[in-house]
Every structure is written in structure tokens, then in C-alpha cells.
Amino acid sequence: MLDYFYILCMINMAIFIILFFALMKKRGYTCKCKSKTKLVLTSILVIALIIWRMPFGTVALFILIRIILSLFLICKTIYKMDTKKSITNSVIYTLVYILIECSIYWILQLSSRYVALNLLELNLIITFIIIFICTYFFDKIQKFYDNKRYYIYIILTIAVNLVIILFFNISEKK
């Protein structure tokens, strides 16, 4: 049972890394690593990152820092990005992925209709589908964001305010 949980966590991390490479390719970055030793060391880092796994629902600070630093090193060695761009890409991708994954996990957890392992499997599938679709349509999403940026900000502000009001109403009832 516990082995199955660890396997699901490793699959979660593998999906995280594969979709990161797909996103970088979609954004136009190509592998610029000429040295075979750097490529081998980076591959070992990726394998180690998969073995270390990414938990579901919560992420400890040291795991978050380890994931961000690993993606930073991948950006620096494989894509030859400058430090600022590498840090930005690794932090944003990691935080967005974890936000989506944890949100789905807790929504499924609070619905309490699923057994624990079914919940993790469902979480893994939904997270993969959402991130894959966002990666696949990245250019269209980027174009929409550039054209309708302020409308998106207004909609997000209204949504956050409605959620806050909802939580206030729920807390007053208790």
C-alpha cells in the first residue's frame, strides 16, 4: 500500500518534469548543452528528482526549494539561460504546478467521496490534464493574456473577493 503511494508520488514528479520540458519547448527553448558530461549529470539530477518524489496535497519547504533549485540547474545547463530567467521560470512553473495540484487534492479531499488511493489517482489524472492542456495551448493563452490582461485582473479580483465573502459567511454561521 505504501509502495503504491510512493510510486504515485514518483509518477507525479515525472509528470511535473516532462511537462516542464514540454513547456520549455513550446516557449521556443532548445537544448544548447554541447558537453556530454553536463547532459549526463543533468539526466542524473532529473532521475534523482523523480526518485525523491513530490508529495500530494502539501509540500514542505525543503522539497519546494529542492525542486526549484533542480529546475534552475536544468535551465542553466540545458537551455543556457541567464540566472534571472532561470530563477523566474523555475519558481513560476513550480508554484503554479503545486498550486494546481494542491487545489485539486484538497477539493477532492473535502468532497470525501473517494477512497485515499483513488483520490491520489484522480488527482494525478486531473493535474496532468490541466497542465497538459495549458502547455498545449500556451501560445493561445499567452496571446489572450497579452490582449485581455486587465479584464483577467478584474475577473480574478472579483472571484477572490467572492471567495472571501463566502468564507466570512461560513465562519459567521459557526
Side-chain angles (χ1 to χ4, degrees):
M1 179 87 158
L2 198 57
D3 293 335
Y4 187 66
F5 174 74
Y6 287 139
I7 290 171
L8 285 177
C9 289
M10 289 170 58
I11 291 171
N12 188 21
M13 184 56 98
I15 289 172
F16 172 78
I17 292 172
I18 289 168
L19 290 176
F20 176 74
F21 284 129
L23 179 67
M24 296 310 268
K25 183 175 177 165
K26 189 75 172 180
R27 291 181 69 193
Y29 294 106
T30 57
C31 180
K32 297 179 181 173
C33 188
K34 304 289 187 221
S35 172
K36 296 286 184 190
T37 56
K38 282 186 179 180
L39 199 56
V40 168
L41 290 175
T42 306
S43 299
I44 291 171
L45 174 70
V46 168
I47 292 170
L49 196 60
I50 291 172
I51 292 172
W52 287 331
R53 49 191 191 277
M54 180 188 293
F56 290 95
T58 59
V59 178
L61 184 61
F62 72 95
I63 294 173
L64 182 67
I65 291 172
R66 184 180 64 208
I67 293 170
I68 289 172
L69 286 176
S70 300
L71 289 182
F72 168 74
L73 291 173
I74 289 170
C75 287
K76 287 289 283 183
T77 56
I78 292 182
Y79 299 113
K80 301 285 186 203
M81 292 183 183
D82 61 337
T83 304
K84 182 180 177 185
K85 237 181 194 178
S86 297
I87 291 173
T88 305
N89 284 331
S90 62
V91 168
I92 289 175
Y93 179 75
T94 302
L95 292 179
V96 166
Y97 186 89
I98 289 174
L99 176 71
I100 291 171
E101 190 266 330
C102 289
S103 298
I104 293 169
Y105 175 83
W106 286 108
I107 288 170
L108 292 174
Q109 184 77 25
L110 293 175
S111 70
S112 69
R113 294 181 188 157
Y114 304 100
V115 182
L117 291 178
N118 292 342
L119 177 116
L120 297 179
E121 293 166 352
L122 190 60
N123 184 16
L124 198 61
I125 291 168
I126 292 172
T127 303
F128 172 75
I129 290 171
I130 289 173
I131 300 293
F132 181 77
I133 288 172
C134 289
T135 303
Y136 187 75
F137 293 110
F138 180 75
D139 51 346
K140 292 178 181 162
I141 293 171
Q142 185 70 38
K143 190 178 186 184
F144 179 76
Y145 175 75
D146 290 341
N147 293 336
K148 309 284 187 200
R149 178 179 306 171
Y150 298 110
Y151 295 122
I152 294 172
Y153 293 160
I154 292 170
I155 290 171
L156 287 176
T157 304
I158 291 171
V160 168
N161 287 336
L162 287 175
V163 169
I164 291 170
I165 291 170
L166 176 71
F167 283 131
F168 279 146
N169 287 338
I170 290 173
S171 67
E172 285 179 2
K173 289 179 184 177
K174 292 183 179 183

